[in-house]
Amino acid sequence: MVDINLIVEIIQLIYKIPSMLLMTLTTYAIIKEIKNKNAYFNKQFYTIIVCKLTNEIIFVMTIFIFFKLPKWGFYNNFLENNDWTATIFYILAAQQTTFMFLITLLISVNRYIAVKYPLLYKLYFSKAKIVFVLLSFIMLSTMIGLGNIFFDARYKKSDLFGYLTPTLKSKNLIYYQMFGQIFLLGNISIATFAFNVMAILALKKLNKINNKFKKQFYYIIYSIFTFITLLFVEAFFACRFIAVKYEIRSFARIIYFLQIVAFDLTSVGDFYFLIYSW
C-alpha cells in the first residue's frame, strides 16, 4: 500500500527545493540592489523583507535537518544518544518562529506608516531605527529560544506520530509554552491584525487609484497574507500542544495537515505572494 505521507513529502521536496533556491537568489539580488543604492530598493521595507526571507530559508533548513531527515530514518542513533541535538532544534525553531511573528508585525507597522503618515515614513523607518528594531527582535527571539534549554529535550519515537521526533519532558514546559506560543505570539498576531486593518482603512479613506497607491495596496495585501499564514502556525501550535498534553491520537492527522499548510505558506507561499506583489 502506498504511504500517503511519503507521497506528500516527495511533492513537498519537488516544489520546496527550487523555491528555496529562488528565494536565496532573490534575497541575494535584493541585497545587491540595496548595496548599489537602487532607488527602488533603497527603502527600509526591503531591508525588512531581506531579514524575513533569510529567516525563512534558515527555518526550512532547520526543519529539514532536525525533523524531516530523522523522520526518514537518517542518523537516528546519533540523535537518540545526543540529547543536545534536540535542545539545539528547540532553540533554533523557537527563535526563528518568534522572529517570524515579529517581522510580520514590523511589516504591518511599516505599511501602516507608509499609508497613514507618508511624510513621517523616513523619520520612523530610518536606517538606524530599523537596525535597532531588527537587532532587538533577534535578541528577544533568541532569548525565547534559549528558554528551551531548561526543559529536558531529547529525541525519542513518538507514540502519537509513530516516528522519531524531538520532545520536551519537563513538567514546567506547559507554562513556558503557554507564555511563548499562546500569550506572546497571540498578542503579536492581534497587533499585526490591528495594523493591517488600520492600513486598509487609511488607504480606503485616501481613495487613491494611482500606481503609487496601488503598489501600497499590494504590499498591504501581502502583509495580510503573511498574517493569515501565521494564524495557521498558531493553530498548529495549539493543536500540537493539546494532542501531546492529552495524548489525543486523532489529532495526529490534523497536526500533520496544519504543519504542512502553516509552514509551507509562511515560507513558500509568502515568497511567491511577495513576488506577485512586485
Side-chain angles (χ1 to χ4, degrees), residues 22-36:
L22 183 58
M23 192 180 296
T24 303
L25 181 62
T26 301
T27 304
Y28 170 77
I30 295 175
I31 293 173
K32 185 177 179 181
E33 293 301 324
I34 292 174
K35 290 180 65 177
N36 291 337

Side-chain angles (χ1 to χ4, degrees), residues 159-161 238-255:
D159 294 331
L160 181 64
F161 301 109
C239 289
R240 191 176 191 278
F241 174 79
I242 294 171
V244 173
K245 177 65 178 176
Y246 299 103
E247 298 182 353
I248 305 175
R249 292 180 178 274
S250 59
F251 268 39
R253 291 289 181 183
I254 298 174
I255 293 170

Side-chain angles (χ1 to χ4, degrees), residues 93-102 105 140-141 144 176-193 227 230-231 233-235 237-238 263:
Q95 187 274 326
Q96 292 155 11
T97 303
T98 304
F99 188 82
M100 191 186 301
F101 275 77
L102 290 170
L105 172 61
L140 174 60
S141 59
I144 297 296
Y176 193 72
Q177 287 185 328
M178 287 178 64
F179 167 75
Q181 298 177 2
I182 299 176
F183 177 76
L184 179 61
L185 300 186
N187 283 326
I188 293 173
S189 298
I190 292 171
T192 302
F193 174 75
F227 166 73
L230 292 186
L231 288 182
V233 175
E234 191 75 3
F237 282 138
F263 293 106

